[in-house]
Amino acid sequence: MEFSKIFTICFSVLLLCSSLAYGQARSPPAPVAMSPTPTPAPAPVPAYVNLTYLLSVAGPFHTFLDYLESTKVIDTFQNQANNSDQGITVFVPKDSAFKGLRKPSLSNLSDDQLKSLILYHALPKFYALADFSELSTKGSISTLAGGEYTLNFTDDSGTVHLDSGWSKTKVTSAVHSTDPVAIYQVDKVLLPEAIFGTDIPPTPAPSPAPVPDVSPAADSPSAESKESGSSPKSAPSTSSSNSIMNLCIWRQLVLAVSAGVVLFF
C-alpha cells in the first residue's frame, strides 16, 4: 500500500511538471518594444514673390506699375510667378521710355489692346541671363499675350537684344533674377506688330559726325612754309600786270604826241 501511494504521488508530481513545462512552451513570447518611426518633415513652402513690391523699390518703374494695376495684369503676373511650375520673366521699361514715346501713342489703344501690350512684356517661364544664348537660336518666342504676340532675341556677347518689330532694345540690368521670377530693365516700350501693324517707320539715319578742322594755325611752321612757298608765285603776277599798265600808258602818250604834231602842221 505504501508503495502504491508513493508511486501515485511520484506520478502526480511528474504529470504536474510536464503540464507546467508544456504551458511555458506554448505561452507567446513577450512583445519586443518597437521604436516609433519619425514623421518626415513637411516640404518648405516657397516664399511668395510680391511683384508690386519689387517694382516699387526698383526703377523708376512707376508708369509700368500703374499700367499693371489699371489693366489688372498684375494678377496674371502674380499667379504665373507663384502658382505655376514655369515661373515668369518680365521686361520692364523705365519711366523715361514712356515719356519718350510719341508715335505711336498708347492713349489711342482700347482697353483690350493696352492689356495685351502689357502682357507682351512677360514670358511664361523663368529665364536667367545665361538662358538667352540658347533662346536666341529658337526664333520667335511666345509671350504671355499669346497668339501672334512674339519676341525675337539676340545674344551679343552676353548682351541680350529684343526685337518686337516696332521696338528694338536691350536688357540693361537685372532687377531680380531668382527662380521663379526674373525681372529685367529695358530702354524702350515693347510695341507688338499684332497691335500696330507691319507698317514700321524707318529708323532715322544717324547724324554725320562733324568734320574736324585740319587747317594749320597761322603761326605754325606748315603755314609759314606754305606762305613762303606761295609768295614767289604771286610776285611774278604782280610785276607782269604793272608792265602791261606801263605799256598802255606809253602808247597813249605816243598817240597823243602824234596827234598834236599833226594838228600843229
Side-chain angles (χ1 to χ4, degrees):
M1 291 292 295
E2 292 180 359
F3 176 79
S4 60
K5 290 181 179 180
I6 294 172
F7 178 79
T8 301
I9 293 172
C10 292
F11 181 78
S12 299
V13 172
L14 181 61
L15 183 60
L16 180 60
C17 292
S18 300
S19 299
L20 292 175
Y22 181 77
Q24 292 179 353
R26 295 288 295 177
S27 62
V32 179
M34 300 291 292
S35 60
T37 303
T39 304
V45 179
Y48 180 83
V49 180
N50 191 329
L51 294 176
T52 302
Y53 173 76
L54 290 177
L55 295 176
S56 298
V57 298
F61 303 127
H62 305 298
T63 305
F64 186 75
L65 184 56
D66 290 342
Y67 279 121
L68 278 176
E69 294 175 343
S70 63
T71 58
K72 308 298 182 183
V73 172
I74 187 64
D75 298 332
T76 304
F77 282 12
Q78 290 285 186
N79 183 66
Q80 181 70 26
N82 295 289
N83 301 323
S84 71
D85 296 332
Q86 299 296 316
I88 190 173
T89 299
V90 185
F91 302 102
V92 187
K94 298 185 296 184
D95 287 346
S96 58
F98 287 94
K99 292 179 181 178
L101 189 62
R102 294 293 180 264
K103 292 184 179 180
S105 174
L106 303 187
S107 60
N108 298 326
L109 300 182
S110 65
D111 292 342
D112 290 339
Q113 287 176 329
L114 185 59
K115 182 177 181 179
S116 296
L117 183 140
I118 301 302
L119 286 168
Y120 185 63
H121 285 73
L123 305 180
K125 186 177 179 180
F126 169 82
Y127 289 101
L129 282 174
D131 298 331
F132 286 102
S133 177
E134 179 182 356
L135 198 65
S136 62
T137 64
K138 296 183 178 181
S140 299
I141 305 300
S142 298
T143 65
L144 267 178
E148 300 177 358
Y149 293 85
T150 58
L151 280 171
N152 291 300
F153 294 89
T154 304
D155 187 350
D156 184 11
S157 301
T159 301
V160 180
H161 295 265
L162 295 79
D163 187 356
S164 70
W166 279 79
S167 306
K168 293 183 179 181
T169 184
K170 63 182 179 180
V171 172
T172 56
S173 65
V175 179
H176 181 88
S177 183
T178 303
D179 196 4
V181 174
I183 301 176
Y184 300 110
Q185 176 182 294
V186 292
D187 286 337
K188 294 182 180 179
V189 180
L190 301 178
L191 305 176
E193 292 183 3
I195 293 177
F196 299 100
T198 57
D199 188 14
I200 303 170
T203 304
S207 58
V211 179
D213 185 7
V214 295
S215 59
D219 56 350
S220 63
S222 58
E224 293 178 357
S225 62
K226 289 184 178 180
E227 291 177 358
S228 60
S230 60
S231 58
K233 294 181 181 179
S234 60
S237 175
T238 305
S239 60
S240 60
S241 62
N242 291 334
S243 299
I244 293 173
M245 291 179 63
N246 293 332
L247 181 60
C248 291
I249 293 172
W250 280 108
R251 284 181 179 179
Q252 291 177 358
L253 290 174
V254 170
L255 290 175
V257 171
S258 301
V261 172
V262 171
L263 291 174
F264 180 77
F265 289 101

